Amino acid sequence: MLKTRTITLNLGPQHPSTHGVFRMVLTMDGETIVDLKPIFGYLHRGMEKLAETRTYLQNMPLTDRMDYICAMTNNLAYAITVEKLAGLEVPERAEYIRVIMAEFTRVVNHLVAIGALLNDLGAFFTPMLYCLRERERILDLFEMTCGARMTCNYLRFGGVAADLPEEFVPQAREVVAGLYYWVDDLERLLTTNEILLARLQGIGILPRELAINCSVTGPTLRASGVPYDVRRAAPYSIYDRFDFKIPTLDEGDCYARYLIRLAEIRQSLHIIEQALDHLPPGEVQAKVPRLLRPPVGDAYARIESPKGELGFYLVSDGGISPYRFHVRAPTLINLTVLPDLVRGLRIPDLVAIIGSIDIVMGEIDR
């Protein structure tokens, strides 16, 4: 019997399919992956330590740059934690605005995730451009409201930085209506494409038990048949007022993760429609001192970010800066299952699996 030796292969840290500065050390038996060791840290910026030297409010822009695709939801998770720590109430109108922005952010994230996945699979840049075109319509709404498109810095403790402009609601309704049609069109074009099926179906299967044991969350978990969503499991803000479903699939492969994101876009649009229909008048900001001094204590709050469960843990010593600032980053935890998903497969399959997990290095290397 012919015996072969394994070889070590470095993929990254500079490689387009790694979605950032991320290195993987592969152990290969010919073209088959025997093992994988993920190596982080190339983008580390010390955000959690920096946050301990800044005021609570000055830390809000830091959260924008963590998952730079999802600034609004990063803001929301941090704001909710500080409000819990300081005992702050949020006006009714501000809560609805927060939900609208959070769900638009979920749509933005899933559009980028689907487009990047197709690009990684070798579909050139055309599908990505189609997804980015629709994303631009939502970023126009963000810019209209807060003056920024990606690093929004829009939420504030006790509300939001500014009320919605008059033209926001009618334009948001147009965007939602157009996205319904566009998602249907995207599904007709891609979902039964034989190349997409060959590259995604049966690849990177994540068993339900492994997903639970590894604390995987978000679309990656729900694609393995677990109907867990923080918006339902531990409702925050005003999510308990909205009618929406938690899509799940049992296959747990790359194709299921793609389908889950398409389904979640539709559910987010449904939530936005309800929020726009019931948007109340009133104030958008509670009276909060600029130099907030929460009482001595600690608090942890979590939300269902587009990539999974995003949590902030804060400790206050009564000063103007957090004594301790820690982030529960969903993509870092979701990525821990990567070695289990790739064993026995090949490098093109690894590229598809990374794209289906939807990682962003700014959140992993904080």
Side-chain angles (χ1 to χ4, degrees), residues 5-281:
R5 297 174 60 185
T6 60
I7 62 170
T8 300
L9 177 68
N10 277 285
L11 182 61
Q14 300 288 351
H15 192 278
S17 71
T18 60
H19 294 246
V21 191
F22 174 40
R23 178 182 169 210
M24 291 167 285
V25 179
L26 304 173
T27 303
M28 306 288 298
D29 181 4
E31 295 184 0
T32 302
I33 300 172
V34 176
D35 199 9
L36 180 148
K37 180 182 179 182
I39 299 178
F40 315 118
Y42 293 93
L43 199 64
H44 184 61
R45 295 156 292 169
M47 188 194 95
E48 294 179 340
K49 199 63 183 176
L50 284 171
E52 296 172 10
T53 66
R54 288 160 168 75
T55 68
Y56 286 90
L57 184 57
Q58 286 174 337
N59 287 329
M60 187 66 77
L62 291 183
T63 67
D64 287 344
R65 289 148 177 85
M66 191 171 61
D67 179 355
Y68 32 79
I69 305 297
C70 304
M72 290 286 193
T73 47
N74 296 344
N75 288 175
L76 178 59
Y78 176 54
I80 289 175
T81 309
V82 174
E83 288 157 4
K84 184 176 180 180
L85 186 64
L88 301 175
E89 297 292 333
V90 180
E92 190 84 352
R93 181 175 175 84
E95 290 281 26
Y96 276 85
I97 294 173
R98 286 180 171 192
V99 167
I100 292 168
M101 295 304 184
E103 294 309 313
F104 268 133
T105 300
R106 197 178 314 278
V107 175
V108 164
N109 179 85
H110 290 352
L111 290 176
V112 173
I114 291 170
L117 171 62
L118 295 170
N119 189 52
D120 291 345
L121 294 179
F124 302 105
F125 208 58
T126 302
M128 182 65 163
L129 289 177
Y130 285 165
C131 292
L132 291 180
R133 181 190 64 188
E134 301 308 310
R135 168 179 174 256
E136 284 298 302
R137 305 186 200 283
I138 299 176
L139 296 190
D140 287 344
L141 294 173
F142 289 171
E143 184 178 22
M144 174 195 305
T145 304
C146 66
R149 300 175 69 79
M150 287 186 64
T151 50
C152 300
N153 188 25
Y154 178 55
L155 270 67
R156 294 292 183 270
F157 314 132
V160 294
D163 202 352
L164 299 175
E166 290 183 7
E167 62 271 27
F168 180 92
V169 172
Q171 187 165 327
R173 292 187 188 278
E174 290 181 11
V175 170
V176 169
L179 280 167
Y180 271 123
Y181 170 80
W182 182 84
V183 172
D184 291 342
D185 202 31
L186 183 70
E187 188 159 25
R188 284 193 297 271
L189 289 170
L190 296 176
T191 301
T192 57
N193 181 283
E194 60 181 308
I195 298 176
L196 192 76
L197 295 174
R199 293 296 308 277
L200 298 183
Q201 278 190 330
I203 301 299
I205 296 174
L206 176 60
R208 176 190 176 101
E209 294 74 18
L210 179 61
I212 294 171
N213 291 339
C214 291
S215 299
V216 172
T217 55
T220 305
L221 175 66
R222 293 187 284 274
S224 296
V226 182
Y228 176 81
D229 187 308
V230 181
R231 293 172 296 176
R232 279 283 171 79
Y236 55 93
S237 186
I238 54 171
Y239 274 102
D240 55 353
R241 303 182 189 180
F242 298 104
D243 171 51
F244 63 99
K245 298 176 181 177
I246 308 299
T248 60
L249 290 170
D250 295 326
E251 289 77 8
D253 57 6
C254 292
Y255 187 64
R257 293 189 278 274
Y258 156 76
L259 291 177
I260 285 293
R261 290 189 174 91
L262 278 178
E264 289 191 0
I265 289 176
R266 293 189 176 95
Q267 293 303 313
S268 290
L269 296 176
H270 183 48
I271 293 173
I272 293 168
E273 283 182 322
Q274 295 173 70
L276 291 172
D277 289 340
H278 297 94
L279 183 65

